[in-house]
Every structure is written in C-alpha cells, then in structure tokens.
Amino acid sequence: MTLFDVIFQGNDAVYGLTEKAVDDAIAKYGADKKVGFPGTAYSIPCYYAVTGTKVGTLGELKDALAVVKTLMTRGAKLNDALMSGVATALLAEFIEVLKYIDNDTPYEAPYTGHLPDPVIRELGVPLVTGDIPGVPVIIGEAPTAEEGAALVKSYQEQGQLVTLVGGIIDQCAQQKVKMGANVRVIPLGKDITAVAHVVSVAIRAALIFGNIKPGDAAGLMAYTKERVPAFVNAFAPLNEVIVAAGAGAIALGFPVITNEDTFAVPECLIPKVPVEKMNAASLEARNIKIKITKVDIPVSFGSAFEGEIVRRGDMQVEFDGSRVDCCELVHMKDPSEVEDHSFELIGPDFDEFPVGSKQSIAYVVEVAGKNMQADFEPVFERKFHSYLNCIEGLMHTGQRDMIRIRISKDTFNAGFRAKDLAEVLYTQIKNEFAAVVDKCQVKIYTKPEDCTRIRHEIAIPMFDKRDERLSSMTDEAVDVYYSCIMCQAFSPSHVCIVTPERLGLCGAVSWFDAKATHELDPNGPCQVVTKERPIDERIGEYEDVNEAVKKFSQGALDDVSLYSIMEKPMTSCGCFECICGIEPFSNGVCIANREYAGQTPLGMTFSELASMTGGGVQTPGFMGHGKHFIASKKFMKAEGGIARIVWMPKDLKDQVADAVNKTAKELYGIDNFCDMIADETVTTDPEELVAWLTEKGHPALSMDPMM
C-alpha cells in the first residue's frame, strides 16, 4: 500500500462519518437549522476560506459536502493526495461545527475547541514580533507521559504556541503541565477532528492579517506556508485518518514530524524521530530560529508565561501599589555612578514576609551608556511588564507607581527571591537595549518607609515631568514621524505612521517607542518619515508621508491621511485594539474594542467589523486604532473629532473616560462628555440610539453630514 492509498482511505473514512453526522443532524433539526462557530465573522472558516462560500444552515452544509467531494480525486499525482488532505481538514471542521448546534460551549475544561476571532487577533502582535516563534500541533499519545510533557514544556519555554489533540492532553495533566491559552498550551480536544480548530487559526490568520480573499485557495496555501510558522508532531501509531489529516497540514505548508517508522517525504513528512529530538527536528524543518534568552533564575522564563494568572490562594506574597507604596523606575545615570550587573537589596527578602501578605516594593534600574537618552527611560519601563510576566509563577500588572506583583508559592518554593527579579530586569535590558546601555545596576527596596520616599520624592516627580512633556507634544511640534511595519510579517501591505498624537493601532507603539526603536535598530521596522510637503493639513496628508507609505507597502498603497476616517484612512493589519465605524443614523461613529463580544448599533460584532477592516486595505468609514488614540485631539480631526463618538462598550468607555472628558472640555467646552456617549447598557439599536442622543443633546446630531 502506498502513502497515497493510506491518505485516500483516511479521507474516505472521514467523509463517511461526516456524511452520516450531517444527515443525522438534518433529520433531528431540519435543513434550515442554523449552524456556525461562535465568535467568528467567518461562519465555518476553513470551508469559507477555501471555497469563498459561507455556510449558515444544515442544508447548506449538506451542499458543502458535495463541494468537498470534488476535491477527493483519486489520481496518482501529489496534488490528488494533498487535496484529499485538505478535504479531510474541511470534513473535520464540519464534524466539529455540528457540536456547536444550540451550544456555544460544547467543550469542557481542560478542552477548548474553537478559538474565536478576538483570540487570534490577540495572538497577532506576539506572532508578528516573534514572541511566538512557532505553532506546534501535537497529536496523539507520547510513548510515556514524561516524554510527552517534556516535549510540550520544551516548546512552551521557547515561547511557542502549543496546541494539543488526543492523549497528550491527559499525559500533560498527569505531569501537572500548566495548560490554557494564557500559558500558550492549548488542549483542543480528544478527537482527531479537533485538529480543525488549529487549522482554522492558521486560515483565519490569512483572512484577518493577509488580505487573502475567500475562495483564493492557492493564495491561502501560499500565505500559510510562508507566514504561519506551524508544524505537526504526530506520535505513533498513525492510523489512516491521522495520515490524511497530516496531508492537509502538508498542503498548508506545515511539515509533519513523527516517531513512527513510516513513509518519508523530504521536508514534508519526517519519520523515525525520537521524541526527545522532535523539537530540534521540527524547528529545522520549519526553519524557525529561536532567540535564546538564558536567565539565571530557579524557574522557567519565557513569553509563554506572560498570560499566567496567580490566584490569591496560590500566592506567596503580593506587592500592590494601589494599597501600599510601590513603584518601578528607570533612571539614566553618569557612567561613573553605575557598576554593571550590581544588585542591592535594601530591606527584607521575599522569604521574610508572611505567606499571603501585601508588601511594599520599589525597584530602580539605573542605566548608563554613551548612546543612552532620557527619552528611552519610559520605553524601558514599559518593557518591565513583559519581562516580569515571562517568569513562571509571577504575575505583574500596571506600571509606574500602580504596579501589582504576585509571586506564587510554587515559584517561591523553587527558590525565587529578590535577586532573581533583579537578574531578569538586568538580563533583559542588556539583551534588548545593548545598543544604548553599557552598564546597568538594580536596586530593590522593600522597607515601607524607603518605598514611600522613593515613590513620592523621586518617582512621581519624574513621571509628572515626563507626562507634562508628552501632553504638550503635538504633531506640529516635531519635524518627523515614524513608520512601523512590524505587522508586515502577517499583513504584507500594512504601514502604520506613528505621530506624537497618533500611536500605532496595536496600542503598543508610541512616537517615543518608534523613535527609540529606530535609534536602537536603524534598519529595523521603524523608519524616519519627514513631513515637509503638506498636501492637505485638514486631513493630515503629506507628499513625503505618501512616498514613504508607497515604498514601505511595496506599492500596495499610494496615499494616506492621518486625521480622517472618510478620506484615505490609514490601513489596518488586524492587531488593532479597537475599530471605529460610521453610524449613519446618528451622523456619528461607534467604537468597539476587541474584548467586547456583543452587537453594536452598526449591526455587527467586533469580529464582523474586523473582517472588513483588516488585512492592510483602506476602508473609508472604518479604521482600526489603539485605545489611547480615542482621546487624541487628532482623532478624526477632519470629521470634527471626538464629538462624533456616539457609542462604545461600557468597559471601554470607563477606561478612556477621564482622558476623553478632558479633551472634550478643551475642544468643545463640554463637561463630562462621556455621559453623552451611549453603550450596550443603553441600547444597540440605531433608532433608539438616535432618540437617546437627542435627549442628551449630543453634538454629532447637529454637525455636517459625514456622508
């Protein structure tokens, strides 16, 4: 029997199961019963992406089966085998979607099943930056639980996004491997058909970030091969269904590495690899380069732990700036004042605090270097959140003097102490900012009186001075802007133009961040963009900005405005924190943030809005943006500014209320403007929205028409 025969047998077996499952569902629910995955704008994403056809009912799913059957050719060419693999993946998706009829949560912990669109967008930034260097898909059961868990941990410590299908999930649970999206180990499900959920992630990445048009199967497969760094580890024994599913992975460009003595296909199917060598073999097959960050601490360190939550019951000690005096600070010093790799603890260490207690902490990182600038201090400080969250069993939230750190009992019992926290800060700053930092020393204070003094006498005055400078910075006050093309790893035609008053749409790149990035890496993703030749200052259009956008988008985009949502708006990649869209009934705009799962007055969810806004294309009337941009005086300046905002989710409104109210007072003389902005607790109906806005006297109703 040839490899093709095995693939065809597996494909036929899955087709038979799928056909019966669909027929049984129609018999039970009727052909008009709605079907689709929750939390996605793409209905049944893999089928939609490959064929361009959305499936919304069981009857349409039955029709889709006939389309999939046409892919199941039985020739002796490689394409026949690969298309049968694709067909197998689509059939697996059909079986999985049937589980979601009348039940948005058919999977129970630890299994996750379908991952909604907002989760994929959340993964966009770390995938783009390389913080998630690869996506291992581990299928089956390892020879021993210890070997399986060790393989998963090896990928986790590299920061990879590990997805699990089958017996490996129970093995990881047995070995107490932490699992969940927050630690980048995602147990999808026990059945092999659950692999459809990770295929869906890869395919939606192409739709969301790559501007791949549904139905462009060739473009889709080229995108996943070139830009989605996934691969499969399949444990023996491999049955024909697993082999057929593996052919689907290979069609998408994902090599399959297995410990079984089976067929070999160079660079695609790699057999007889011992479990302990699967990691290295997989990285080589997918050409993934892991950036080695060795930090000398007693627990694991890696970006996979950034989302880890330390619950109160698991907590050894907590430092909470909202209750006691705490702060984190970077301070540039003269080189003569800094001893490289010096650490000083002033006060008791972590093992001297009562279990579960709340304590004060202040850590001051003093840096020196001939290329160091004071402007870089806040850039370094913002990195602390990521650095400390990479420590296994440590949770960090907030910034400046509103930080909170929780250290778990497991991490404490492993020997983690203050010197280890200092070692992480030192190592990461020297690794990431070697171009400007020659020397670095860390001081940690844990006496309450010292923390109070440092917070109020040193830190807060420095923060206030920086804020005063930032708040007074305008686009007009600087000579240059910066481009950011970091997201082009996934969205090839997207370019952000970052200005003092408009940060990157991911919310993570300010003008100072872009400036620092350029200084640290002159050939990197952030380049200087001059603004010497204005075309239309009303909408923020410049000849030299257009030239930069055309160059950095490889000719995909000719011109862009910085201050308009209607005229040549900036493109969006898919990593945006928020989407703003025109609401014609009220003559205003609605804003939805990624975390909001409900409907908007536009008749669309965030996922549905995002499906028409991302991918590096201009969409007049819609734009992606960061949360902090909402309160900017340049937000939609061409259309009248924030006075156009008529609706946003309550949680988002609460987050930005102070800044938005301040801007509205300065621009329009309106007090408490956010009280005039509706949210989901008021209505999501456009006609009811207009009535409510009229009652509130919202300014958008009397402004010039947007369309």
Side-chain angles (χ1 to χ4, degrees), residues 21-35 57-59 97-103:
V22 172
D23 288 343
D24 289 349
I26 291 174
K28 180 177 180 180
Y29 297 106
D32 293 332
K33 181 68 174 179
K34 288 187 176 182
V35 65
T57 67
L58 284 174
V97 80
L98 293 175
K99 298 177 182 179
Y100 286 82
I101 295 178
D102 293 338
N103 185 3

Side-chain angles (χ1 to χ4, degrees), residues 333 337-350 361-366 417-423 425-426 440-447 450 453-454:
K333 292 280 192 177
E337 300 177 271
V338 180
E339 179 184 349
D340 191 45
H341 211 166
S342 169
F343 163 61
E344 187 177 359
L345 174 63
I346 302 94
D349 208 336
F350 300 161
I361 195 170
Y363 40 97
V364 181
V365 178
E366 297 175 336
R417 300 293 184 267
K419 66 178 176 57
D420 300 306
L421 189 149
E423 183 66 17
L425 295 173
Y426 169 81
C440 174
Q441 65 187 19
V442 181
K443 298 176 181 177
I444 297 181
Y445 301 83
T446 56
K447 292 179 181 178
D450 286 337
R453 174 181 58 81
I454 292 167

Side-chain angles (χ1 to χ4, degrees), residues 142-153 171-172 174-175 177 275:
T144 68
E146 291 81 5
E147 288 176 288
L151 179 65
V152 171
K153 285 285 288 181
Q171 290 181 314
C172 285
Q174 177 188 327
Q175 294 295 307
V177 175
V275 175

Side-chain angles (χ1 to χ4, degrees), residues 141-143 234-236 257-261 270-275 278:
E141 185 172 300
F235 295 124
I257 294 86
T258 177
N259 59 334
E260 180 155 298
D261 184 0
I270 304 169
K272 297 189 290 185
V273 178
V275 175
M278 276 188 170

Side-chain angles (χ1 to χ4, degrees), residues 298-317:
V299 292
S300 295
F301 180 89
S303 57
F305 300 105
E306 283 192 77
E308 187 178 8
I309 296 172
V310 178
R311 305 292 181 189
R312 185 174 297 278
D314 300 323
M315 180 184 78
Q316 176 72 24
V317 64

Side-chain angles (χ1 to χ4, degrees), residues 420-573:
D420 300 306
L421 189 149
E423 183 66 17
V424 168
L425 295 173
Y426 169 81
T427 303
Q428 291 305 96
I429 282 179
K430 289 298 290 283
N431 281 345
E432 189 164 354
F433 300 109
V436 295
V437 176
D438 300 327
K439 299 164 75 175
C440 174
Q441 65 187 19
V442 181
K443 298 176 181 177
I444 297 181
Y445 301 83
T446 56
K447 292 179 181 178
E449 60 271 23
D450 286 337
C451 295
T452 299
R453 174 181 58 81
I454 292 167
R455 179 188 183 193
H456 292 281
E457 296 180 16
I458 300 174
I460 290 178
M462 285 184 67
F463 299 151
D464 289 344
K465 186 177 179 180
R466 291 177 193 164
D467 289 344
E468 184 179 351
R469 183 182 173 211
L470 280 169
S471 64
S472 64
M473 280 194 71
T474 63
D475 289 359
E476 293 77 13
V478 299
D479 296 326
V480 299
Y481 300 149
Y482 291 91
S483 63
C484 181
I485 59 169
M486 197 176 295
C487 289
Q488 283 195 358
F490 273 74
S491 188
S493 61
H494 171 63
V495 181
C496 262
I497 300 296
V498 182
T499 80
E501 295 182 81
R502 178 173 187 150
L503 78 169
L505 56 84
C506 64
V509 181
S510 71
W511 185 84
F512 277 119
D513 295 327
K515 178 176 184 285
T517 299
H518 177 70
E519 299 243 1
L520 296 167
D521 183 4
N523 298 313
C526 296
Q527 296 294 309
V528 172
V529 178
T530 60
K531 37 165 287 192
E532 297 168 349
R533 290 170 281 148
I535 296 173
D536 186 345
E537 294 186 343
R538 177 184 64 87
I539 65 172
E541 185 179 9
Y542 301 82
E543 283 186 38
D544 25 3
V545 171
N546 285 343
E547 289 169 359
V549 164
K550 186 170 184 177
K551 174 184 175 182
F552 295 130
S553 70
Q554 293 83 48
L557 195 64
D558 289 321
D559 43 25
V560 70
S561 71
L562 304 180
Y563 309 141
S564 176
I565 192 176
M566 300 300 295
E567 302 177 57
K568 309 171 186 176
M570 194 181 294
T571 59
S572 300
C573 62

